[in-house]
Protein backbone atom coordinates (compact mmCIF):
# COMPACT_ATOMS: atom_id res chain seq x y z
CA UNK A 1 0.00 0.00 0.00
CA UNK A 2 2.81 2.44 0.87
CA UNK A 3 4.62 1.64 -2.36
CA UNK A 4 1.69 1.17 -4.74
CA UNK A 5 -0.91 3.62 -3.49
CA UNK A 6 0.98 6.30 -1.57
CA UNK A 7 4.06 6.18 -3.78
CA UNK A 8 6.49 6.11 -0.85
CA UNK A 9 9.96 5.16 -2.11
CA UNK A 10 12.13 5.66 0.95
CA UNK A 11 13.37 3.06 3.40
CA UNK A 12 11.06 0.76 5.38
CA UNK A 13 12.28 -1.24 8.39
CA UNK A 14 9.84 -3.94 9.60
CA UNK A 15 9.69 -5.93 12.83
CA UNK A 16 7.60 -9.11 13.08
CA UNK A 17 7.70 -11.68 15.93
CA UNK A 18 5.37 -14.46 14.67
CA UNK A 19 7.32 -17.07 12.66
CA UNK A 20 4.77 -17.67 9.86
CA UNK A 21 4.11 -13.96 9.42
CA UNK A 22 7.83 -13.18 9.51
CA UNK A 23 8.49 -15.70 6.72
CA UNK A 24 5.68 -14.26 4.57
CA UNK A 25 6.80 -10.68 5.20
CA UNK A 26 10.43 -11.52 4.37
CA UNK A 27 9.38 -13.13 1.10
CA UNK A 28 7.17 -10.16 0.22
CA UNK A 29 9.95 -7.65 0.92
CA UNK A 30 12.73 -9.63 -0.79
CA UNK A 31 12.34 -7.89 -4.15
CA UNK A 32 12.43 -4.41 -2.59
CA UNK A 33 16.03 -3.29 -1.94
CA UNK A 34 14.83 -0.43 0.28
CA UNK A 35 12.76 -2.62 2.61
CA UNK A 36 14.54 -4.33 5.52
CA UNK A 37 12.83 -7.06 7.55
CA UNK A 38 14.75 -7.53 10.79
CA UNK A 39 15.42 -10.99 12.24
CA UNK A 40 12.33 -12.24 14.08
CA UNK A 41 11.80 -10.32 17.33
CA UNK A 42 9.23 -8.39 19.35
CA UNK A 43 9.59 -4.85 20.70
CA UNK A 44 9.34 -3.88 24.35
CA UNK A 45 10.63 -1.61 27.09
CA UNK A 46 13.74 -3.71 27.81
CA UNK A 47 15.70 -6.41 25.95
CA UNK A 48 14.81 -9.95 26.91
CA UNK A 49 12.46 -12.71 25.87
CA UNK A 50 8.68 -13.11 25.74
CA UNK A 51 6.05 -15.66 24.81
CA UNK A 52 3.77 -14.71 21.94
CA UNK A 53 0.16 -15.89 22.07
CA UNK A 54 -0.22 -16.75 18.38
CA UNK A 55 -3.86 -16.46 17.37
CA UNK A 56 -5.82 -18.11 14.58
CA UNK A 57 -5.98 -14.72 12.89
CA UNK A 58 -2.27 -13.95 13.16
CA UNK A 59 -2.73 -10.15 13.09
CA UNK A 60 -4.38 -10.48 16.52
CA UNK A 61 -1.39 -12.28 18.07
CA UNK A 62 0.01 -10.62 21.19
CA UNK A 63 2.41 -10.99 24.07
CA UNK A 64 -0.65 -10.34 26.23
CA UNK A 65 -3.43 -12.94 26.65
CA UNK A 66 -6.92 -12.00 25.43
CA UNK A 67 -9.36 -10.61 27.98
CA UNK A 68 -12.85 -11.96 28.62
CA UNK A 69 -14.25 -9.15 26.48
CA UNK A 70 -11.77 -9.95 23.73
CA UNK A 71 -12.81 -13.58 23.70
CA UNK A 72 -16.50 -12.66 23.80
CA UNK A 73 -16.21 -10.03 21.06
CA UNK A 74 -13.71 -11.60 18.66
CA UNK A 75 -12.90 -15.11 19.86
CA UNK A 76 -12.06 -16.42 16.38
CA UNK A 77 -9.48 -13.67 15.99
CA UNK A 78 -7.79 -13.54 19.41
CA UNK A 79 -7.95 -17.12 20.75
CA UNK A 80 -4.39 -18.52 20.86
CA UNK A 81 -3.67 -21.66 18.84
CA UNK A 82 -0.02 -21.93 19.93
CA UNK A 83 2.77 -20.11 21.75
CA UNK A 84 6.15 -18.98 20.42
CA UNK A 85 9.08 -17.73 22.47
CA UNK A 86 10.63 -14.67 20.83
CA UNK A 87 13.52 -12.30 21.61
CA UNK A 88 12.46 -8.82 22.74
CA UNK A 89 14.43 -5.77 21.61
CA UNK A 90 13.94 -2.04 22.05
CA UNK A 91 13.47 0.73 19.53
CA UNK A 92 16.49 2.43 21.08
CA UNK A 93 18.66 -0.57 20.10
CA UNK A 94 17.22 -0.88 16.62
CA UNK A 95 17.64 2.82 15.88
CA UNK A 96 21.33 2.63 16.70
CA UNK A 97 21.78 -0.35 14.37
CA UNK A 98 19.59 0.57 11.41
CA UNK A 99 19.11 4.35 11.18
CA UNK A 100 21.64 7.12 10.75
CA UNK A 101 22.38 9.49 13.63
CA UNK A 102 19.73 12.19 13.78
CA UNK A 103 17.56 10.59 11.10
CA UNK A 104 13.87 10.91 11.94
CA UNK A 105 11.33 8.21 11.23
CA UNK A 106 7.60 7.59 11.16
CA UNK A 107 6.75 4.84 13.67
CA UNK A 108 3.78 2.50 13.23
CA UNK A 109 3.04 0.22 16.20
CA UNK A 110 0.42 -2.53 16.02
CA UNK A 111 1.17 -4.85 18.95
CA UNK A 112 -2.28 -5.76 20.29
CA UNK A 113 -2.18 -4.07 23.69
CA UNK A 114 1.61 -3.89 24.09
CA UNK A 115 1.99 -0.35 22.70
CA UNK A 116 3.00 1.38 25.93
CA UNK A 117 5.93 -1.03 26.43
CA UNK A 118 7.09 -0.44 22.85
CA UNK A 119 6.98 3.35 23.32
CA UNK A 120 8.91 2.99 26.61
CA UNK A 121 11.73 1.38 24.61
CA UNK A 122 12.30 4.53 22.54
CA UNK A 123 14.54 6.16 25.12
CA UNK A 124 14.87 9.87 25.75
CA UNK A 125 15.07 11.43 22.28
CA UNK A 126 11.46 11.52 21.10
CA UNK A 127 12.31 14.11 18.43
CA UNK A 128 13.62 11.24 16.30
CA UNK A 129 10.04 9.89 16.13
CA UNK A 130 7.93 12.99 15.27
CA UNK A 131 4.96 10.94 14.03
CA UNK A 132 3.71 7.80 15.80
CA UNK A 133 0.77 5.64 14.72
CA UNK A 134 -0.64 3.33 17.40
CA UNK A 135 -3.47 0.85 17.13
CA UNK A 136 -5.35 1.28 20.41
CA UNK A 137 -8.30 -0.57 21.90
CA UNK A 138 -11.33 1.42 23.03
CA UNK A 139 -12.25 -1.52 25.28
CA UNK A 140 -9.89 -3.97 27.07
CA UNK A 141 -9.38 -6.74 24.50
CA UNK A 142 -6.12 -7.99 26.05
CA UNK A 143 -5.35 -8.58 29.74
CA UNK A 144 -2.95 -5.94 31.01
CA UNK A 145 -3.17 -3.52 28.08
CA UNK A 146 -3.19 0.23 28.65
CA UNK A 147 -6.61 1.72 27.96
CA UNK A 148 -7.29 4.06 25.06
CA UNK A 149 -7.78 7.02 27.42
CA UNK A 150 -4.66 6.24 29.48
CA UNK A 151 -2.53 5.80 26.35
CA UNK A 152 -3.83 9.07 24.92
CA UNK A 153 -2.91 10.83 28.19
CA UNK A 154 0.50 9.13 28.23
CA UNK A 155 1.31 10.28 24.69
CA UNK A 156 0.23 13.82 25.56
CA UNK A 157 2.56 13.80 28.57
CA UNK A 158 5.39 12.73 26.26
CA UNK A 159 4.66 15.77 24.09
CA UNK A 160 2.48 14.28 21.34
CA UNK A 161 -0.97 15.46 20.28
CA UNK A 162 -3.65 13.27 18.77
CA UNK A 163 -3.93 14.20 15.10
CA UNK A 164 -6.27 11.63 13.52
CA UNK A 165 -8.25 8.50 14.42
CA UNK A 166 -9.08 5.73 11.93
CA UNK A 167 -11.44 2.94 13.10
CA UNK A 168 -10.00 -0.51 12.35
CA UNK A 169 -12.25 -3.04 14.11
CA UNK A 170 -15.85 -2.96 15.31
CA UNK A 171 -18.49 -5.46 16.41
CA UNK A 172 -21.60 -6.39 14.47
CA UNK A 173 -24.53 -5.89 14.74
CA UNK A 174 -23.90 -3.45 17.63
CA UNK A 175 -21.27 -1.63 15.55
CA UNK A 176 -19.19 -0.82 18.61
CA UNK A 177 -15.70 0.38 17.68
CA UNK A 178 -13.13 -1.77 19.50
CA UNK A 179 -9.86 -0.68 17.90
CA UNK A 180 -8.59 2.35 16.02
CA UNK A 181 -5.34 3.54 14.48
CA UNK A 182 -4.39 6.78 16.23
CA UNK A 183 -1.92 9.19 14.67
CA UNK A 184 0.11 11.23 17.17
CA UNK A 185 2.32 14.15 16.14
CA UNK A 186 5.07 15.54 18.34
CA UNK A 187 4.20 19.11 19.32
CA UNK A 188 6.51 21.81 17.97
CA UNK A 189 8.29 19.30 15.73
CA UNK A 190 10.14 20.97 12.88
CA UNK A 191 8.93 20.32 9.37
CA UNK A 192 10.08 16.79 8.38
CA UNK A 193 12.83 16.23 5.88
CA UNK A 194 11.92 14.47 2.66
CA UNK A 195 11.78 10.73 3.25
CA UNK A 196 10.26 10.83 6.72
Amino acid sequence: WLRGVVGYRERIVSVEPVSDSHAALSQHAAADPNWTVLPRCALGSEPGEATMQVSRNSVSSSILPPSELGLASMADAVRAVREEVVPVRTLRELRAEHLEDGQRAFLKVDTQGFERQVIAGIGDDLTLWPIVQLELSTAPLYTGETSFAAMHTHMERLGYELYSVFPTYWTRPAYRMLQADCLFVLKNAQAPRQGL
Side-chain angles (χ1 to χ4, degrees):
W1 184 82
L2 279 174
R3 297 298 198 218
V5 177
V6 177
Y8 180 75
R9 295 288 174 259
E10 302 298 324
R11 188 165 184 218
I12 298 171
V13 178
S14 295
V15 174
E16 173 56 54
V18 178
S19 57
D20 294 348
S21 301
H22 184 272
L25 179 64
S26 299
Q27 184 176 13
H28 189 70
D32 188 332
N34 220 15
W35 187 354
T36 302
V37 178
L38 301 184
R40 192 173 74 93
C41 67
L43 293 173
S45 58
E46 297 293 337
E49 198 173 74
T51 301
M52 290 292 300
Q53 310 294 314
V54 182
S55 60
R56 186 187 321 276
N57 178 6
S58 65
V59 300
S60 298
S61 300
S62 177
I63 289 174
L64 303 176
S67 68
E68 289 185 16
L69 177 63
L71 288 170
S73 303
M74 42 196 289
D76 289 342
V78 301
R79 190 183 308 280
V81 294
R82 69 177 188 277
E83 294 182 342
E84 292 183 1
V85 176
V86 62
V88 176
R89 306 200 60 203
T90 67
L91 282 167
R92 184 172 55 252
E93 288 180 287
L94 298 182
R95 273 208 68 89
E97 295 172 10
H98 298 282
L99 294 175
E100 298 173 10
D101 285 346
Q103 181 181 9
R104 293 186 290 168
F106 171 93
L107 175 64
K108 180 183 185 296
V109 182
D110 185 351
T111 53
Q112 304 304 315
F114 210 64
E115 289 75 22
R116 185 161 183 161
Q117 292 89 332
V118 173
I119 295 300
I122 286 177
D124 296 329
D125 197 350
L126 298 171
T127 63
L128 299 174
W129 309 95
I131 305 173
V132 176
Q133 181 176 325
L134 304 175
E135 186 180 57
L136 300 178
S137 298
T138 59
L141 301 179
Y142 296 88
T143 301
E145 74 175 300
T146 303
S147 71
F148 184 100
M151 198 65 205
H152 179 205
T153 300
H154 180 65
M155 293 300 287
E156 284 193 324
R157 286 180 180 153
L158 291 176
Y160 290 89
E161 58 185 340
L162 183 61
Y163 192 80
S164 295
V165 176
F166 310 95
T168 57
Y169 190 86
W170 49 88
T171 61
R172 294 181 179 88
Y175 219 71
R176 178 185 182 183
M177 184 179 73
L178 292 178
Q179 290 182 315
D181 277 338
C182 300
L183 198 66
F184 292 91
V185 177
L186 193 63
K187 296 175 186 176
N188 303 319
Q190 296 177 350
R193 295 195 310 256
Q194 182 180 3
L196 176 68

